[in-house]
Amino acid sequence: YEQTEEMIAVLGDYFKLCVSTAGEFVTIREEIENAKSYLQILAILYEKNFEVQWETDPDILDARTIKLILQPVIENAFEHGIRSMKQGGRIRITGRRTEHGVEFWVEDNGRGMTEERLKEVTDYMKDSNYDPARSVGTKNVNLRIRLYYGEAYGLSYESKEGMGTRAVIRIPWETGAQKRRLEIMYKIMLVEDEAIIRRGIKRGVKWEENGFEIAAEAEDGEEALKLLEETGVDVILTDVKMPGMN
């Protein structure tokens, strides 16, 4: 009975962040609390006496991240790292600020991976095809990070057979004051034959604050078609009539 009560309480804490927090973004403090709730769920469900170590730089706690980047990685460390261990299993989570942003390490002392298996995992993680229905778990984490923050960030693995595995999560440094910059930026192409009008459009609107980026400019329709193939913009703002091509 006591265990059931504990499970209900922990599940409530876990799903609170998953379903009730508005938007895709949370503080790192909230992300860590969610991960701790998940670890409690694992301990109750599997009656596993494994050790969890946390080492988190307090300075990063109020920074922001897309949510649910730690839990799938911790789940993977448990399932493929320490679940089969009868005793002595350990998961260590480290979070720190770096020169390029924030970095998390999720390490387990499980069986590790062969070089061949590590290569398979690395190649799988590098696959850039994002299908929410098919991309689950750690691959979903990697793809979402790259989608929101760019190719410089994401999830990668280091491992040696018999020596455990380390997952490395890299995200940029973002605070509440920078919230608008965290949203997906839609790419715009301006198509206008008058350069002075193009400059006025660019300067007259706070594009980035509203989730847009001027990614390309064209003087006529032919140039616009060529740039469209090259840049893959999301929105085209065009003059209704231009010399040579309407």
Side-chain angles (χ1 to χ4, degrees):
Y1 178 75
E2 290 181 0
Q3 190 179 57
T4 302
E5 280 192 333
E6 182 183 3
M7 173 63 83
I8 292 171
V10 174
L11 281 171
D13 290 339
Y14 174 70
F15 286 113
K16 188 183 299 181
L17 179 74
C18 295
V19 302
S20 67
T21 302
E24 274 290 308
F25 300 95
V26 294
T27 64
I28 288 177
R29 186 190 310 276
E30 291 172 313
E31 179 67 13
I32 288 173
E33 289 304 315
N34 178 262
K36 287 181 177 179
S37 294
Y38 177 74
L39 282 163
Q40 286 182 269
I41 293 170
L42 286 182
I44 296 170
L45 282 177
Y46 295 98
E47 298 182 346
K48 288 284 187 178
N49 184 23
F50 59 91
E51 182 182 2
V52 178
Q53 299 175 348
W54 286 90
E55 186 177 326
T56 308
D57 183 349
D59 292 340
I60 72 172
L61 296 179
D62 293 323
R64 292 170 56 82
T65 176
I66 56 172
K67 62 184 178 182
L68 297 177
I69 61 172
L70 284 176
Q71 178 270 321
V73 180
I74 291 171
E75 178 182 4
N76 195 70
F78 177 80
E79 287 289 339
H80 301 287
I82 67 170
R83 182 177 176 181
S84 61
M85 298 174 65
K86 293 183 178 180
Q87 60 182 4
R90 183 180 69 251
I91 295 176
R92 184 180 184 208
I93 303 102
T94 306
R96 62 193 179 95
R97 186 169 181 180
T98 68
E99 180 182 355
H100 302 291
V102 176
E103 190 169 286
F104 290 100
W105 290 1
V106 179
E107 302 170 284
D108 68 73
N109 65 336
R111 60 194 176 203
M113 290 184 274
T114 64
E115 290 185 9
E116 292 78 11
R117 177 56 183 159
L118 180 59
K119 184 179 184 305
E120 289 177 5
V121 171
T122 300
D123 291 343
Y124 172 72
M125 298 294 288
K126 286 180 178 179
D127 185 355
S128 60
N129 293 322
Y130 180 59
D131 180 350
R134 296 174 62 87
S135 300
V136 297
T138 54
K139 183 176 181 179
N140 182 283
V141 170
N142 185 48
L143 291 174
R144 286 194 300 118
I145 291 175
R146 290 167 62 187
L147 175 66
Y148 278 100
Y149 299 126
E151 298 294 320
Y153 304 98
L155 168 65
S156 60
Y157 279 92
E158 303 167 5
S159 185
K160 287 187 177 181
E161 189 173 13
M163 298 181 66
T165 299
R166 173 189 294 161
V168 181
I169 304 169
R170 295 183 178 91
I171 59 173
W173 174 257
E174 299 285 1
T175 64
Q178 297 166 304
K179 179 179 177 181
R180 295 297 302 184
R181 289 174 50 222
L182 287 170
E183 307 296 337
I184 296 177
M185 300 292 286
Y186 290 98
K187 295 181 179 180
I188 290 180
M189 181 195 300
L190 291 180
V191 186
E192 167 60 55
D193 60 307
E194 296 287 345
I196 190 170
I197 295 178
R198 293 201 307 273
R199 287 197 297 270
I201 293 173
K202 288 192 295 182
R203 294 174 182 175
V205 178
K206 295 180 179 179
W207 295 105
E208 291 189 2
E209 290 185 15
N210 290 283
F212 295 95
E213 171 193 1
I214 305 297
E217 298 179 48
E219 294 184 355
D220 55 49
E222 290 183 357
E223 184 182 9
L225 289 173
K226 181 180 178 181
L227 288 172
L228 179 60
E229 294 179 354
E230 295 176 354
T231 61
V233 294
D234 304 296
V235 180
I236 299 175
L237 295 181
T238 179
D239 192 352
V240 295
K241 187 175 183 179
M242 289 180 294
M245 194 173 201
N246 295 335

